[in-house]
Amino acid sequence: MGSATSELPSHRTPLNDAAETGLKIVVVGGFGVGKTTLVRSVSEIRPLNTEEVMTQAGVGVDETSAVAGKTTTTVAFDFGRISLNERMVLYLFGAPGQERFWFLWDRLFSGTLGAVVLVDTRRMDDSWYAIDRLEHHRTPFVVAVNRFDDDTSRYSLDEIRQALALPGHVPMVDCDARVRQSGKDVLITLVNHLHEMAIAEEATL
Amino acid sequence: MMRKPVDTGDPDRLYTVTGGRSRADESFDLVTLIVSESGPVPGMQSEHARILELCRHPTAVVEIAAEIGLPITVVRILLGDLLDTGRITARHPRAARSVASLPDSALLQEVLHGLRNL
Ligand SMILES: Nc1nc2c(ncn2[C@@H]2O[C@H](COP(=O)(O)OP(=O)(O)OP(=O)(O)O)[C@@H](O)[C@H]2O)c(=O)[nH]1
Ligand SMILES: [Mg+2]
């Protein structure tokens, strides 16, 4: 199949043979907000692209009745990979925030550790929908503000928190998606948050 | 829960690849790691052979899909064939699959440690 990746099989970096546990983190956000850039800056492989398809008319409908007049939803997303240790490998997905994508959320991202909502302050409206959907799916998330050079507004994190009506417990962080250390910090902020939540939950058992 | 029928996009090519089947084995998570238990054999469908080549080392379902350029659903169908015939094994994620519940703190501690050491 004509993808550049399959023409270069020798360039694949295989996982450690002891790898046994795959983990997921999803980066969501509007068009051009820097999702692919963030994935690329922290990934050990060049980001790969793949897609999933489903028949919208087919949701909860049996196969025979879905044959006529069905509409197909195709969602493309990219991903990168981070080997955490010999056994654990983290996959980072860059997912478009638009509506049709959420049809596939459960099928693709159930069991995800958590999400990063990437925000561009010049187009804050794009983030509303993603935040609303994540809350609906009860996926823990952090908000990372990707500061573009030509963004002159320089809203503070507090101002952005207010604009997005984000509850106080949702961590916020500034980032430059092009910078590896900055991308790592975003992921660490998210996992720290998850860890604190897990500790609190375990304390109530 | 009812299984969702799937339209595999480009009908001709994908119909051939899956033999017209549309129901995928949903137990294959995007990050389930697949390992070949045997090499390809002559006469085998080329996509099956390709997967067995790729999975000499553990390879996530999503990486297989990207490498062979097929939608996730189609790859899940092909993997089901290979699992049924004992040609692959699957290492499923151990993180909680229910959406609302968190993985345990020990696992998250390991993830944090891994990220900090990058
Ligand atoms: N100045 C600046 N530019 C950035 C930053 N992050 C991304 N960019 C640029 O913004 C553009 C879009 O970035 P992408 O990573 O492709 O954004 P995306 O969210 O994956 O875009 P789509 O997948 O098309 O929705 C690219 O030209 C990046 O180089 C950043 O932090 N600062
Ligand atoms: Mg992108």
Coordinates of all heavy atoms in Angstrom, one line a residue, chain A residues 12-85:
Chain A
R12 N 11.9 0.9 10.4 CA 11.0 0.7 11.6 C 11.9 0.4 12.8 O 12.8 -0.4 12.7 CB 10.1 -0.5 11.4 CG 8.9 -0.2 10.5 CD 7.9 -1.3 10.6 NE 7.2 -1.3 11.9 CZ 7.3 -2.2 12.8 NH1 8.0 -3.3 12.6 NH2 6.6 -2.1 13.9
T13 N 11.5 1.0 13.9 CA 12.2 0.6 15.1 C 11.3 -0.3 15.9 O 10.3 0.2 16.4 CB 12.5 1.9 15.9 OG1 13.0 2.9 15.0 CG2 13.6 1.7 17.0
P14 N 11.7 -1.6 16.0 CA 10.8 -2.5 16.7 C 10.9 -2.2 18.2 O 11.8 -1.7 18.8 CB 11.4 -3.9 16.4 CG 12.8 -3.7 16.0 CD 12.9 -2.3 15.5
L15 N 9.8 -2.7 18.9 CA 9.8 -2.6 20.4 C 10.7 -3.7 21.0 O 11.0 -4.6 20.3 CB 8.3 -2.8 20.9 CG 7.3 -1.7 20.6 CD1 6.0 -2.2 21.2 CD2 7.8 -0.5 21.4
N16 N 11.0 -3.4 22.2 CA 11.7 -4.5 23.0 C 10.9 -5.7 23.0 O 9.6 -5.7 23.1 CB 11.9 -3.9 24.4 CG 12.8 -4.7 25.2 OD1 12.6 -5.9 25.4 ND2 13.9 -4.1 25.7
D17 N 11.5 -6.9 22.9 CA 10.8 -8.2 22.9 C 10.0 -8.4 24.2 O 9.1 -9.2 24.3 CB 11.7 -9.3 22.6 CG 12.0 -9.4 21.1 OD1 11.1 -9.1 20.3 OD2 13.2 -9.7 20.8
A18 N 10.4 -7.8 25.3 CA 9.8 -7.9 26.6 C 8.6 -7.0 26.7 O 7.8 -7.1 27.7 CB 10.7 -7.7 27.7
A19 N 8.3 -6.1 25.8 CA 7.2 -5.2 25.9 C 5.9 -6.0 26.0 O 5.6 -6.9 25.3 CB 7.1 -4.3 24.6
E20 N 5.1 -5.6 27.0 CA 3.9 -6.3 27.3 C 2.7 -5.4 27.6 O 1.5 -5.9 27.5 CB 4.1 -7.3 28.4 CG 4.5 -6.7 29.7 CD 4.7 -7.6 30.9 OE1 4.8 -8.8 30.6 OE2 4.7 -7.1 32.0
T21 N 2.9 -4.2 28.0 CA 1.8 -3.3 28.4 C 1.8 -2.1 27.6 O 2.7 -1.2 27.6 CB 1.9 -2.9 29.9 OG1 2.0 -4.1 30.7 CG2 0.8 -2.1 30.3
G22 N 0.7 -1.9 26.8 CA 0.5 -0.7 26.0 C -0.4 0.2 26.7 O -1.3 -0.2 27.3
L23 N 0.0 1.5 26.7 CA -0.8 2.5 27.4 C -1.1 3.7 26.4 O -0.4 3.8 25.4 CB 0.0 3.1 28.5 CG 0.4 2.1 29.6 CD1 1.6 2.7 30.4 CD2 -0.8 1.8 30.5
K24 N -2.2 4.4 26.6 CA -2.6 5.4 25.7 C -2.8 6.8 26.4 O -3.4 6.8 27.5 CB -4.0 5.1 25.1 CG -4.0 3.9 24.2 CD -5.5 3.6 23.7 CE -6.2 2.8 24.7 NZ -7.4 2.1 24.1
I25 N -2.4 7.8 25.7 CA -2.7 9.2 26.1 C -3.2 9.9 24.8 O -2.6 9.7 23.7 CB -1.5 9.9 26.7 CG1 -1.3 9.4 28.2 CG2 -1.8 11.5 26.7 CD1 -0.1 10.1 28.9
V26 N -4.2 10.7 24.9 CA -4.8 11.3 23.7 C -4.6 12.8 23.8 O -4.8 13.4 24.8 CB -6.3 11.0 23.5 CG1 -6.8 11.5 22.2 CG2 -6.5 9.5 23.6
V27 N -4.1 13.4 22.7 CA -4.0 14.8 22.6 C -5.1 15.3 21.7 O -5.2 14.9 20.5 CB -2.6 15.3 21.9 CG1 -2.5 16.8 21.9 CG2 -1.5 14.7 22.7
V28 N -6.0 16.1 22.2 CA -7.1 16.6 21.4 C -7.1 18.2 21.3 O -6.5 18.9 22.1 CB -8.5 16.2 22.0 CG1 -8.8 14.8 21.8 CG2 -8.7 16.6 23.4
G29 N -7.6 18.7 20.2 CA -7.6 20.1 20.0 C -8.1 20.4 18.6 O -8.2 19.6 17.8
G30 N -8.4 21.7 18.4 CA -8.8 22.2 17.1 C -7.8 22.0 16.0 O -6.7 21.7 16.2
F31 N -8.2 22.4 14.8 CA -7.3 22.3 13.6 C -6.1 23.2 13.8 O -6.2 24.3 14.3 CB -8.0 22.8 12.3 CG -9.0 21.9 11.8 CD1 -10.4 22.2 11.8 CD2 -8.6 20.6 11.4 CE1 -11.3 21.3 11.3 CE2 -9.6 19.7 10.9 CZ -10.9 20.1 10.8
G32 N -4.9 22.6 13.5 CA -3.7 23.4 13.5 C -3.2 23.9 14.8 O -2.4 24.8 14.9
V33 N -3.7 23.3 15.9 CA -3.3 23.8 17.2 C -2.0 23.3 17.7 O -1.4 23.8 18.7 CB -4.5 23.5 18.2 CG1 -4.5 22.0 18.6 CG2 -4.4 24.3 19.5
G34 N -1.4 22.3 17.0 CA -0.1 21.8 17.3 C -0.1 20.3 17.8 O 0.9 19.9 18.4
K35 N -1.2 19.6 17.5 CA -1.2 18.2 18.0 C -0.1 17.3 17.5 O 0.6 16.6 18.2 CB -2.6 17.6 17.7 CG -3.8 18.3 18.2 CD -5.1 17.7 17.7 CE -5.4 17.8 16.3 NZ -5.7 19.2 15.8
T36 N 0.0 17.4 16.1 CA 1.0 16.5 15.5 C 2.4 17.0 15.9 O 3.3 16.1 16.2 CB 0.9 16.6 14.0 OG1 -0.4 16.2 13.6 CG2 1.9 15.7 13.3
T37 N 2.6 18.3 16.1 CA 3.9 18.8 16.5 C 4.3 18.3 17.9 O 5.4 17.9 18.2 CB 3.9 20.4 16.5 OG1 3.4 20.8 15.2 CG2 5.2 21.0 16.9
L38 N 3.3 18.3 18.8 CA 3.5 17.8 20.2 C 3.9 16.3 20.2 O 4.8 15.9 20.8 CB 2.3 18.1 21.1 CG 2.3 17.5 22.5 CD1 3.5 18.2 23.3 CD2 1.0 17.8 23.2
V39 N 3.1 15.5 19.4 CA 3.4 14.1 19.3 C 4.8 13.9 18.8 O 5.5 13.1 19.3 CB 2.3 13.4 18.4 CG1 2.7 12.0 18.1 CG2 0.9 13.4 19.1
R40 N 5.1 14.6 17.7 CA 6.4 14.4 17.1 C 7.6 14.8 18.1 O 8.6 14.1 18.1 CB 6.6 15.3 15.9 CG 7.9 15.1 15.1 CD 8.1 16.0 13.9 NE 7.1 15.7 12.9 CZ 6.1 16.6 12.6 NH1 6.1 17.8 13.2 NH2 5.2 16.3 11.6
S41 N 7.4 15.8 18.9 CA 8.5 16.3 19.7 C 8.8 15.3 20.8 O 9.9 15.3 21.3 CB 8.2 17.7 20.2 OG 7.2 17.7 21.2
V42 N 7.9 14.5 21.2 CA 8.2 13.5 22.3 C 8.3 12.1 21.9 O 8.8 11.2 22.6 CB 7.1 13.6 23.5 CG1 7.1 15.0 24.2 CG2 5.7 13.3 22.9
S43 N 7.9 11.8 20.6 CA 7.9 10.4 20.2 C 9.3 9.9 19.8 O 10.1 10.6 19.3 CB 7.0 10.3 18.9 OG 7.0 9.0 18.4
E44 N 9.5 8.6 20.0 CA 10.7 8.0 19.6 C 10.7 7.5 18.1 O 11.7 7.1 17.6 CB 11.0 6.8 20.5 CG 10.1 5.6 20.3 CD 10.1 4.6 21.5 OE1 10.6 5.0 22.6 OE2 9.7 3.5 21.2
I45 N 9.5 7.5 17.5 CA 9.4 7.2 16.1 C 8.7 8.5 15.4 O 8.1 9.3 16.0 CB 8.4 6.0 15.8 CG1 7.1 6.2 16.4 CG2 9.1 4.7 16.3 CD1 6.0 5.2 16.0
R46 N 9.0 8.6 14.1 CA 8.3 9.6 13.3 C 6.8 9.3 13.4 O 6.4 8.2 13.3 CB 8.7 9.5 11.9 CG 8.3 10.6 11.0 CD 9.1 10.5 9.6 NE 9.0 9.1 9.0 CZ 7.9 8.7 8.3 NH1 6.9 9.6 8.1 NH2 7.9 7.5 7.8
P47 N 5.9 10.3 13.7 CA 4.5 10.1 13.8 C 3.9 9.3 12.6 O 4.3 9.6 11.5 CB 3.9 11.4 13.9 CG 5.0 12.3 14.4 CD 6.2 11.8 13.9
L48 N 3.1 8.3 12.9 CA 2.5 7.5 11.9 C 1.0 7.9 11.8 O 0.5 8.5 12.8 CB 2.6 6.0 12.2 CG 4.0 5.4 12.2 CD1 4.0 4.0 12.7 CD2 4.6 5.5 10.8
N49 N 0.4 7.7 10.7 CA -1.0 8.0 10.5 C -1.8 6.8 10.2 O -1.4 5.9 9.5 CB -1.0 9.0 9.3 CG -2.3 9.8 9.3 OD1 -3.3 9.3 8.7 ND2 -2.3 10.9 10.0
T50 N -3.0 6.8 10.8 CA -3.9 5.7 10.4 C -5.4 6.2 10.5 O -5.6 7.3 10.8 CB -3.7 4.5 11.4 OG1 -4.4 3.4 10.9 CG2 -4.1 4.8 12.8
E51 N -6.3 5.3 10.2 CA -7.7 5.8 10.1 C -8.6 4.7 10.6 O -8.3 3.5 10.6 CB -8.1 6.2 8.7 CG -8.1 5.1 7.7 CD -8.5 5.6 6.3 OE1 -8.2 6.7 6.0 OE2 -9.2 4.8 5.6
E52 N -9.8 5.1 11.0 CA -10.8 4.2 11.3 C -12.1 4.6 10.6 O -12.3 5.8 10.4 CB -11.1 4.1 12.9 CG -12.2 3.2 13.3 CD -12.0 1.7 12.9 OE1 -11.7 1.4 11.8 OE2 -12.3 0.8 13.8
V53 N -12.9 3.6 10.2 CA -14.1 3.9 9.5 C -15.3 3.3 10.2 O -15.2 2.3 10.9 CB -14.1 3.4 8.1 CG1 -13.1 4.1 7.2 CG2 -13.7 1.9 8.1
M54 N -16.4 3.9 10.2 CA -17.6 3.3 10.6 C -18.9 3.8 9.9 O -18.8 4.9 9.4 CB -17.8 3.4 12.1 CG -18.4 4.7 12.6 SD -18.7 4.8 14.3 CE -20.1 3.7 14.4
T55 N -19.9 3.0 9.9 CA -21.1 3.4 9.2 C -22.0 4.0 10.3 O -22.4 3.4 11.2 CB -21.8 2.1 8.7 OG1 -20.9 1.5 7.8 CG2 -23.0 2.5 7.9
Q56 N -22.3 5.3 10.0 CA -23.1 6.0 11.0 C -24.5 5.4 11.2 O -25.0 5.3 12.3 CB -23.2 7.5 10.7 CG -22.6 8.3 11.7 CD -22.3 9.7 11.2 OE1 -21.4 9.9 10.4 NE2 -23.1 10.7 11.5
A57 N -25.1 5.0 10.0 CA -26.5 4.5 10.1 C -26.4 3.1 10.8 O -27.4 2.6 11.2 CB -27.0 4.3 8.7
G58 N -25.2 2.6 11.0 CA -25.1 1.2 11.6 C -25.0 1.2 13.1 O -25.1 0.2 13.7
V59 N -25.0 2.4 13.7 CA -25.0 2.4 15.2 C -26.2 1.8 15.7 O -27.3 2.3 15.6 CB -24.8 3.8 15.7 CG1 -24.7 3.8 17.2 CG2 -23.5 4.4 15.1
G60 N -26.1 0.6 16.4 CA -27.2 0.0 17.0 C -28.2 -0.6 16.0 O -29.3 -0.9 16.3
V61 N -27.8 -0.7 14.7 CA -28.7 -1.2 13.7 C -28.1 -2.5 13.2 O -26.9 -2.7 13.2 CB -28.8 -0.2 12.5 CG1 -29.7 -0.8 11.5 CG2 -29.3 1.1 13.0
D62 N -28.9 -3.5 12.8 CA -28.3 -4.7 12.4 C -27.8 -4.6 10.9 O -28.1 -3.7 10.2 CB -29.2 -5.9 12.5 CG -30.4 -5.9 11.5 OD1 -30.2 -5.4 10.4 OD2 -31.4 -6.5 11.9
E63 N -27.0 -5.6 10.5 CA -26.2 -5.5 9.3 C -27.1 -5.3 8.1 O -26.8 -4.5 7.2 CB -25.4 -6.7 9.2 CG -24.0 -6.4 8.7 CD -23.0 -7.6 9.0 OE1 -23.3 -8.4 9.9 OE2 -22.1 -7.7 8.3
T64 N -28.2 -6.1 8.0 CA -29.0 -6.0 6.8 C -29.6 -4.7 6.6 O -29.6 -4.1 5.5 CB -30.1 -7.1 6.8 OG1 -30.5 -7.2 8.2 CG2 -29.6 -8.4 6.3
S65 N -30.1 -4.1 7.6 CA -30.8 -2.8 7.5 C -29.8 -1.7 7.2 O -30.2 -0.6 6.8 CB -31.7 -2.5 8.7 OG -30.9 -2.3 9.8
A66 N -28.6 -1.9 7.5 CA -27.6 -0.8 7.3 C -27.0 -0.8 5.9 O -26.3 0.2 5.6 CB -26.4 -1.1 8.3
V67 N -27.4 -1.7 5.1 CA -26.8 -1.8 3.8 C -27.2 -0.6 2.9 O -26.4 0.0 2.2 CB -27.1 -3.1 3.1 CG1 -26.6 -3.1 1.6 CG2 -26.5 -4.3 3.8
A68 N -28.5 -0.3 3.0 CA -29.0 0.8 2.1 C -28.8 2.1 2.8 O -29.0 2.3 4.0 CB -30.5 0.5 1.8
G69 N -28.4 3.1 2.0 CA -28.3 4.5 2.4 C -27.4 4.8 3.6 O -27.7 5.7 4.4
K70 N -26.4 4.1 3.7 CA -25.5 4.3 4.9 C -24.5 5.4 4.6 O -24.1 5.7 3.5 CB -24.8 3.0 5.3 CG -23.9 2.5 4.2 CD -23.5 1.1 4.5 CE -22.8 0.4 3.4 NZ -22.4 -0.9 3.7
T71 N -24.1 6.1 5.6 CA -23.1 7.1 5.5 C -21.9 6.7 6.2 O -22.0 6.1 7.3 CB -23.5 8.5 6.1 OG1 -23.9 8.3 7.4 CG2 -24.7 9.1 5.3
T72 N -20.7 6.9 5.6 CA -19.5 6.4 6.2 C -18.7 7.5 6.9 O -18.6 8.6 6.3 CB -18.6 5.8 5.2 OG1 -19.3 4.7 4.6 CG2 -17.3 5.2 5.8
T73 N -18.3 7.3 8.1 CA -17.5 8.2 8.8 C -16.0 7.7 8.8 O -15.8 6.6 9.2 CB -17.9 8.4 10.3 OG1 -19.3 8.8 10.3 CG2 -17.1 9.4 11.0
T74 N -15.1 8.5 8.3 CA -13.7 8.1 8.4 C -13.0 9.1 9.3 O -13.2 10.3 9.1 CB -13.1 8.1 7.0 OG1 -13.8 7.2 6.2 CG2 -11.6 7.7 7.1
V75 N -12.3 8.6 10.2 CA -11.5 9.5 11.1 C -10.0 9.1 11.0 O -9.7 8.0 11.2 CB -12.0 9.4 12.5 CG1 -11.1 10.2 13.4 CG2 -13.4 9.9 12.6
A76 N -9.2 10.1 10.6 CA -7.8 9.9 10.6 C -7.1 10.4 11.8 O -7.6 11.5 12.3 CB -7.2 10.5 9.3
F77 N -6.2 9.8 12.3 CA -5.4 10.3 13.5 C -4.0 9.9 13.4 O -3.6 8.9 12.7 CB -6.1 9.9 14.8 CG -6.2 8.4 15.0 CD1 -5.2 7.7 15.6 CD2 -7.3 7.8 14.5 CE1 -5.4 6.3 15.8 CE2 -7.5 6.4 14.6 CZ -6.5 5.7 15.3
D78 N -3.1 10.6 14.0 CA -1.7 10.2 14.0 C -1.3 9.8 15.4 O -2.0 10.1 16.4 CB -0.8 11.3 13.4 CG -1.1 12.7 13.8 OD1 -1.6 12.8 14.9 OD2 -0.8 13.6 13.1
F79 N -0.1 9.2 15.5 CA 0.3 8.7 16.8 C 1.8 8.6 16.8 O 2.5 8.4 15.8 CB -0.3 7.4 17.2 CG 0.0 6.2 16.3 CD1 1.1 5.4 16.6 CD2 -0.7 6.0 15.1 CE1 1.4 4.3 15.8 CE2 -0.3 4.9 14.3 CZ 0.7 4.1 14.6
G80 N 2.4 8.7 18.0 CA 3.8 8.4 18.3 C 3.9 7.5 19.4 O 2.9 7.0 20.0
R81 N 5.1 7.2 19.8 CA 5.4 6.1 20.7 C 6.5 6.5 21.7 O 7.5 7.1 21.3 CB 5.8 4.9 19.9 CG 6.0 3.6 20.7 CD 6.3 2.5 19.7 NE 7.8 2.4 19.5 CZ 8.4 1.7 18.6 NH1 7.7 1.0 17.7 NH2 9.7 1.6 18.5
I82 N 6.4 6.1 22.9 CA 7.5 6.3 23.9 C 7.7 5.0 24.7 O 6.7 4.6 25.4 CB 7.1 7.4 24.9 CG1 6.9 8.8 24.2 CG2 8.2 7.6 26.0 CD1 6.3 9.9 25.1
S83 N 8.8 4.4 24.6 CA 9.1 3.2 25.4 C 9.5 3.7 26.8 O 10.5 4.4 27.0 CB 10.2 2.4 24.8 OG 9.8 1.9 23.6
L84 N 8.7 3.4 27.8 CA 8.9 3.9 29.2 C 9.9 3.1 29.9 O 10.7 3.6 30.7 CB 7.5 3.9 29.9 CG 6.5 4.8 29.4 CD1 5.1 4.5 30.0 CD2 6.9 6.3 29.7
N85 N 9.9 1.8 29.7 CA 10.9 0.9 30.2 C 10.8 -0.4 29.3 O 10.1 -0.4 28.3 CB 10.7 0.6 31.7 CG 9.3 0.1 32.0 OD1 8.7 -0.8 31.3 ND2 8.6 0.6 33.1

